[in-house]
Amino acid sequence: MKLIIDIGNSNTKIALFEEKNMFSSKILGDYCLKNILEFVSGHKVSSTIISTVKIINSEISSISTYFNAIILNSETSVPIKNKYKSTDTLGNDRLAAVTGANSLYPLNDIIVFDAGTCLTIDFINSKGEYLGGRISPGIEVRYKSLNTFTDKLPLLSLENSMPFIGNDTHSSIISGVQQGILSEVSSVISDYRSKKQHIVALVTGGDCFFFEKELKKSIFAEPNLVLVGLNEILDFNE
């Protein structure tokens, strides 16, 4: 049984894999060793990988030491060709997501959207070459920025229903944030498909189902894409 740990900005995802199949998973608010040991209780862990967007602290070090884990970094071998110029600044979540996408859709050109704290957009081609992408604010950050940097705009959050055009401040903010980010994603997909008609578009991250619902057949949600990619990287290093 392989233990996969993905420490993100907002929460931590952990999973157990048997070969390529995810056996179980959980989202943790606190990634302490005690919580992880409770999750793996009753299972023999043979190998572990940790991906973190945070600076490695004593708690992460203790988890790594206990499980003799690989901590993903720019020196870790990966099963794709990484052509990003500054590999030491590339987020582990972005690298794992494109690795996961390549394993699920081999020999395809793929756009990967990770819709979480940030909206990252990454491209990996049919040769398994990761070329780079974009980083912009995610939905929650867009809402918070309007409230933080203005005196009168309220703090809102993701809503299921949204107008195309707002007719008051509340609905105008929702339209601007949610329709705006949908337009951004839709435009990127259209631009790529004008060059590569059969490119696969995947979305992962906490808001992935929002994009799948609103953009329908244009994009497919893969909520565990980063975990799948980390499992592939762990296998590659074994």
Side-chain angles (χ1 to χ4, degrees):
M1 200 77 71
K2 294 171 290 182
L3 174 62
I4 313 299
I5 303 172
D6 174 31
I7 302 171
N9 288 301
S10 302
N11 53 49
T12 295
K13 288 185 177 181
I14 56 177
L16 288 170
F17 276 75
E18 284 187 299
E19 298 183 352
K20 304 293 184 184
N21 302 312
M22 191 166 71
F23 176 78
S24 63
S25 65
K26 188 175 183 178
I27 296 176
L28 299 177
D30 183 357
Y31 55 84
C32 67
L33 178 59
K34 177 186 175 184
N35 288 343
I36 293 173
L37 288 174
E38 288 177 357
F39 173 72
V40 302
S41 178
H43 301 286
K44 184 178 180 181
V45 174
S46 59
S47 56
T48 302
I49 188 168
I50 299 171
S51 169
T52 177
V53 300
K54 301 179 185 295
I55 295 173
I56 296 173
N57 55 31
S58 59
E59 192 64 45
I60 295 173
S61 294
S62 67
I63 296 167
S64 172
T65 300
Y66 185 91
F67 289 103
N68 191 27
I70 293 171
I71 298 181
L72 180 62
N73 59 43
S74 60
E75 303 299 320
T76 308
S77 297
V78 294
I80 61 171
K81 299 181 184 72
N82 187 355
K83 293 199 167 185
Y84 204 68
K85 285 186 177 179
S86 55
T87 55
D88 57 325
T89 66
L90 176 62
N92 290 335
D93 49 350
R94 296 175 69 190
L95 181 60
V98 293
T99 301
N102 186 67
S103 71
L104 294 175
Y105 297 88
L107 305 179
N108 279 274
D109 296 305
I110 313 167
I111 322 169
V112 178
F113 299 86
D114 194 337
T117 303
C118 295
L119 173 67
T120 60
I121 304 171
D122 291 291
F123 177 71
I124 183 164
N125 66 22
S126 59
K127 298 177 183 178
E129 297 172 329
Y130 169 57
L131 304 180
R134 302 180 183 181
I135 304 173
S136 65
I139 293 173
E140 183 180 0
V141 172
R142 294 180 194 217
Y143 274 125
K144 285 182 176 179
S145 67
L146 290 175
N147 174 251
T148 299
F149 297 108
T150 65
D151 290 330
K152 295 184 178 180
L153 295 182
L155 177 60
L156 304 180
S157 58
L158 180 65
E159 296 202 12
N160 290 326
S161 84
M162 56 183 171
F164 184 73
I165 297 175
N167 58 11
D168 58 19
T169 299
H170 187 279
S171 59
S172 293
I173 292 172
I174 295 169
S175 178
V177 170
Q178 295 183 205
Q179 293 287 3
I181 201 169
L182 285 172
S183 295
E184 179 182 342
V185 169
S186 182
S187 176
V188 170
I189 295 172
S190 295
D191 287 348
Y192 272 106
R193 285 186 175 155
S194 69
K195 300 175 180 65
K196 297 179 180 290
Q197 183 179 359
H198 300 294
I199 194 168
V200 177
L202 303 178
V203 61
T204 192
D207 294 326
C208 66
F209 292 113
F210 164 75
F211 289 93
E212 184 183 54
K213 172 178 173 285
E214 297 299 332
L215 297 176
K216 297 179 172 64
K217 295 182 180 179
S218 297
I219 198 166
F220 302 101
E222 293 284 354
N224 297 313
L225 190 61
V226 171
L227 297 175
V228 170
L230 291 172
N231 183 59
E232 290 294 319
I233 293 170
L234 181 57
D235 284 348
F236 190 72
N237 281 272
E238 290 188 318

